[in-house]
């Protein structure tokens, strides 16, 4: 086993959270920072082109494919969960949507014991990292690093869908990240110039990577957190079969994501004692909810065949139209090559919503495909999907052995709560109702999925269970809170261990109602503020003037 030099901070995972933390912490020349990433520093056209996520998300060069346990509630299928395995993490392969969540999501965190995480507390953290291409305001920053752009593709059928959604009773909202967070409208995307703006693009620019106090090790898989008593003192990591140990004089910051962060804690003996013992892992801290509270958005879609041939299914089979798309992207930085996983959509209430908060997340694309990476359908297709904003079902992740190379066992527990099923069925009806409005109905030549024979609630439920899937938003597996069972306190510190924090989507007490990337970057920005202050190397502690800490 080889030993590397000591650092003040060791960051595990160069994803949305880790990249930001690496930049913020290494801005202090007195702080020695190590950033560990299991993937490689790759630059590839499909990683950079916005629409390239269709090619990259399931590509094993760029993502690690996690299997989930088959369950009867979703047709006993293995629903794979890809996670980014490059600098930038999943922000390098995601669908680029920049939507922060509902304001009430964060207020609910604070009400549940995550003091300091209400909407007004976190809004400045969203604004701080944002480089919005529009006008600066209370809600948008233009001086940060993360490129955020309004939609740059104006597809006529997406306009028709928005008109139809308004005819169905939903209000138009031009900016889900502004004054109002519900309604239907266009999505903003993490774009900068022609290209995707991943967390690595945003926060690990060449000048940052060249800082003498920042080391970035790629191909480095964290194997366990080194503990001295009840204090985290470093990370043991693997590369090319060799085992290395790096020492952290101040803190270890785990930013490996909602799957790998709890897995790393469990491999280190921090987790549910009985489960760790069954896996052959020595227990250091009995923390029953490490790996529990697992949440994800589960979607079902309504796809239709269009009467005309204005679907991207058709356009991408025409060499002339593909050339026109390329020219539009190259010269004007607009068009279909700039889109992500959704162009327009909404956050709305269904008839079965349990309170006044929106419970449906809608996502619309002028194309149809079975899943990203598969060929587009041969017919002229149009797709709209629905997910429940805040699922009640909770899954669990467990290490199966002390071997860091052995993937954890993931139980999604999708649709195990009745309210989740009712909401999803209601959402499918909402999508059908929008398609049936005057602004859209004459465009439709027939429903492809679920199909005209699927009409009753029971049939729609069966369809959703057999045909639905992940929206790639796992979260909540190291939740923060003020109660005794919470894994983290509101300052993101692991309870029962000093010198150790988890800073990523796993810290969410309950998942945000929308996509999770923007909120994860905010969590890292807030985490960086909690870690503020120069490092006193003699003591391995913050100086006498740190940033304010959350109580």
């Amino acid at each position: 086993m080889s030993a590397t030099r000591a650092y003040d901070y060791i960051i595990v995972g160069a994803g949305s959270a880790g990249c930001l933390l690496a930049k913020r912490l290494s801005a202090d020349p007195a702080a020695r920072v190590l950033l560990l990433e299991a993937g490689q520093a790759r630059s590839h056209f499909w990683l950079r082109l916005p629409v390239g996520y269709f090619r990259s998300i399931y590509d094993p060069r760029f993502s690690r494919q996690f299997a989930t346990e088959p369950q009867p509630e979703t047709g006993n299928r293995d629903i794979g969960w890809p996670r980014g395995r490059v600098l930038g993490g999943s922000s390098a392969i995601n669908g680029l949507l920049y939507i922060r969540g509902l304001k009430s999501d964060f207020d609910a965190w604070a009400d549940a014991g995550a003091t300091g995480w209400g909407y007004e507390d976190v809004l400045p953290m969203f604004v701080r990292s944002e480089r919005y291409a529009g006008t600066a305001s209370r809600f948008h920053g233009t001086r940060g690093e993360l490129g955020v752009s309004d939609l740059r593709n104006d597809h006529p059928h997406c306009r028709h869908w928005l008109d139809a959604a308004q005819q169905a009773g939903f209000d138009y909202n031009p900016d889900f990240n502004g004054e109002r967070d519900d309604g239907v409208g266009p999505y903003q995307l993490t774009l900068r110039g022609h290209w995707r703006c991943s967390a690595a693009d945003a926060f690990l620019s060449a000048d940052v990577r060249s800082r003498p106090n920042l080391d970035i090790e790629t191909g480095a898989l964290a194997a366990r957190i080194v503990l001295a008593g009840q204090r985290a003192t470093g990370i043991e990591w693997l590369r090319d079969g060799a085992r290395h140990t790096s020492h952290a004089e101040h803190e270890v910051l785990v930013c490996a994501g909602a799957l790998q962060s709890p897995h790393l804690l469990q491999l280190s003996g921090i987790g549910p004692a009985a489960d760790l013992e069954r896996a052959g892992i020595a227990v250091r801290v009995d923390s029953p909810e490490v790996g529990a509270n697992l949440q994800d958005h589960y979607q079902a879609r309504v796809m239709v065949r269009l009467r005309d041939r204005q679907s991207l299914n058709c356009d991408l089979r025409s060499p002339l139209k593909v050339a026109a798309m390329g020219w539009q992207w190259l010269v004007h930085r607009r068009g279909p090559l700039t889109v992500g996983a959704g162009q327009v959509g909404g956050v709305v209430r269904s008839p079965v919503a349990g309170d006044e908060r929106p419970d449906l997340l809608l996502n619309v694309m002028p194309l149809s495909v079975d899943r990203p990476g598969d060929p587009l359908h041969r017919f002229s297709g149009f797709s709209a999907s629905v997910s429940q904003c805040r699922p009640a079902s909770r899954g669990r992740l467990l290490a199966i052995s002390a071997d860091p190379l052995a993937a954890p066992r993931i139980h999604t527990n999708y649709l195990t709560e009745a309210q989740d099923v009712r909401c999803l069925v209601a959402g499918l009806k909402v999508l059908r109702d929008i398609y049936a409005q005057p602004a859209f109905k004459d465009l439709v030549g027939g429903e492809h999925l679920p199909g005209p024979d699927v009409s009753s609630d029971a049939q729609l439920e069966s369809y959703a269970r057999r045909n639905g899937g992940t929206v790639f938003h796992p979260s909540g597996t190291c939740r923060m809170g003020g109660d005794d069972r919470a894994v983290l306190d509101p300052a993101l510190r692991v309870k029962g261990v000093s010198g150790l924090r988890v800073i990523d989507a796993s810290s969410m007490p309950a998942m945000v109602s929308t996509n999770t990337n923007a909120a994860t970057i905010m969590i890292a920005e807030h985490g960086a503020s909690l870690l503020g202050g120069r490092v006193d190397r003699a003591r391995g502690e913050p100086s006498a003037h740190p940033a304010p800490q959350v109580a």
Side-chain angles (χ1 to χ4, degrees):
M1 180 184 298
S2 65
T4 57
R5 68 189 182 95
Y7 297 88
D8 296 303
Y9 297 101
I10 298 177
I11 303 167
V12 179
S16 294
C19 289
L20 183 148
L21 284 168
K23 177 173 185 180
R24 297 288 184 263
L25 295 177
S26 65
D28 177 0
R32 301 161 299 173
V33 181
L34 172 64
L35 177 62
L36 297 174
E37 167 55 40
Q40 299 296 332
R42 295 186 182 274
S43 180
H44 192 282
F45 182 70
W46 292 122
L47 290 176
R48 301 195 66 210
L49 187 71
V51 78
Y53 86 95
F54 272 102
R55 294 287 189 92
S56 63
I57 194 167
Y58 286 105
D59 190 323
R61 293 176 298 174
F62 312 132
S63 67
R64 181 178 177 182
Q65 311 296 315
F66 286 88
T68 62
E69 295 294 305
Q71 59 177 68
E73 292 83 0
T74 48
N76 290 307
R77 293 173 293 140
D78 170 10
I79 300 175
W81 284 1
R83 298 281 87 196
R85 197 177 177 85
V86 293
L87 282 181
S90 293
S91 75
I93 62 168
N94 71 2
L96 292 90
L97 270 64
Y98 183 83
I99 181 169
R100 297 168 178 171
L102 298 177
K103 298 171 185 176
S104 57
D105 293 338
F106 307 106
D107 290 337
W109 289 6
D111 292 344
T115 307
W117 291 86
Y119 176 72
E120 290 299 329
D121 299 308
V122 303
L123 177 59
M125 305 302 165
F126 280 114
V127 171
R128 181 177 300 172
S129 62
E130 184 185 18
R131 185 178 290 274
Y132 178 48
T135 304
S137 69
R138 176 171 116 82
F139 299 103
H140 284 291
T142 57
R143 301 176 64 185
E145 302 92 342
L146 183 71
V148 175
S149 170
D150 291 328
L151 183 69
R152 302 185 195 169
N153 188 53
D154 185 20
H155 195 282
H157 291 349
C158 288
R159 293 200 308 272
H160 293 314
W161 187 91
L162 287 175
D163 291 341
Q166 291 170 79
Q167 291 171 346
F170 303 114
D171 293 336
Y172 180 75
N173 184 352
D175 181 359
F176 293 114
N177 300 310
E179 181 73 42
R180 184 173 179 179
D181 53 18
D182 66 335
V184 295
Y187 284 125
Q188 292 166 354
L189 304 170
T190 48
L191 299 175
R192 187 170 64 195
H194 291 89
W195 306 107
R196 167 197 291 274
C197 187
S198 71
D201 298 323
F203 304 110
L204 295 183
S205 58
D207 62 316
V208 173
R209 294 197 306 271
S210 65
R211 289 174 177 172
N213 61 324
L214 173 63
D215 288 346
I216 301 174
E217 298 284 357
T218 58
L221 176 68
R224 70 180 181 95
I225 301 159
V226 179
L227 298 174
Q230 300 306 108
R231 179 173 180 80
T233 60
I235 290 289
E236 190 176 294
W237 50 280
L238 309 175
R239 181 164 59 196
D240 298 330
R243 193 172 292 262
H244 307 264
T245 300
S246 297
H247 179 70
E249 293 187 357
H250 184 28
E251 291 201 40
V252 173
L253 310 174
V254 179
C255 308
L259 304 186
Q260 288 147 291
S261 286
H263 189 219
L264 179 60
L265 262 60
Q266 292 177 2
L267 291 171
S268 309
I270 306 167
D275 293 320
L276 296 183
E277 289 168 352
R278 277 192 290 271
I281 300 171
V283 178
R284 303 297 295 269
V285 177
D286 182 10
S287 184
E289 289 202 14
V290 173
N293 196 45
L294 175 60
Q295 300 150 68
D296 181 34
H297 287 131
Y298 180 91
Q299 72 173 357
R301 294 175 291 176
V302 178
M303 295 184 190
V304 297
R305 298 172 183 263
L306 299 174
R307 294 183 185 275
D308 62 29
R309 296 185 60 77
Q310 292 197 53
S311 167
L312 289 178
N313 291 17
C314 307
D315 293 347
L316 290 172
R317 290 189 169 90
S318 165
L320 289 177
K321 290 187 176 181
V322 170
M325 291 178 198
W327 179 257
Q328 191 178 13
W329 169 77
L330 184 63
V331 175
H332 302 290
R333 300 179 179 181
R334 297 188 60 83
L337 299 187
T338 68
V339 302
Q343 295 193 33
V344 301
V347 190
V348 302
R349 290 185 76 249
S350 78
V352 301
D355 54 31
E356 294 303 311
R357 301 167 71 187
D359 61 340
L360 300 180
L361 176 63
L362 310 180
N363 198 15
V364 173
M365 287 286 282
L367 55 78
S368 63
V369 65
D370 291 331
R371 74 167 195 171
D374 289 354
L376 297 177
H377 294 145
R378 302 292 300 184
F379 57 82
S380 181
F382 190 95
S383 302
S385 72
V386 61
S387 306
Q388 183 183 7
C389 286
R390 296 169 303 281
S393 302
R394 295 289 187 270
R396 192 171 185 84
L397 174 150
L398 294 170
I400 62 172
S401 76
D403 181 2
L405 298 176
R409 182 171 291 115
I410 301 170
H411 299 272
T412 65
N413 291 342
Y414 288 134
L415 304 181
T416 52
E417 294 290 335
Q419 177 59 18
D420 295 359
V421 178
R422 287 193 294 269
C423 183
L424 200 55
V425 168
L428 290 170
K429 292 179 178 179
V430 166
L431 293 181
R432 279 179 161 176
D433 184 49
I434 293 173
Y435 280 128
Q437 297 300 316
F440 206 94
K441 68 178 182 179
D442 291 340
L443 301 173
V444 177
E447 186 175 279
H448 176 63
L449 288 174
D453 295 334
V454 177
S455 56
S456 69
D457 284 6
Q459 289 173 321
L460 287 170
E461 176 183 339
S462 178
Y463 164 76
R465 290 187 183 280
R466 290 182 292 103
N467 294 275
T470 179
V471 195
F472 317 109
H473 298 160
S475 53
T477 46
C478 296
R479 72 172 179 91
M480 62 175 158
D483 60 288
D484 291 340
R485 291 180 63 85
V487 178
L488 311 176
D489 70 13
L492 304 173
R493 294 173 294 214
V494 176
K495 294 184 178 182
V497 183
S498 62
L500 179 63
R501 303 190 202 219
V502 176
I503 306 178
D504 57 27
S506 67
S507 70
M508 295 181 185
M511 74 181 310
V512 292
S513 298
T514 62
N515 299 55
T516 52
N517 188 49
T520 300
I521 291 171
M522 175 279 292
I523 289 168
E525 193 75 82
H526 201 359
S529 74
L530 301 176
L531 289 160
R534 297 178 64 84
V535 171
D536 181 343
R537 287 186 185 153
R539 293 183 295 123
E541 298 175 353
S543 72
H545 303 286
Q549 297 286 312
V550 171

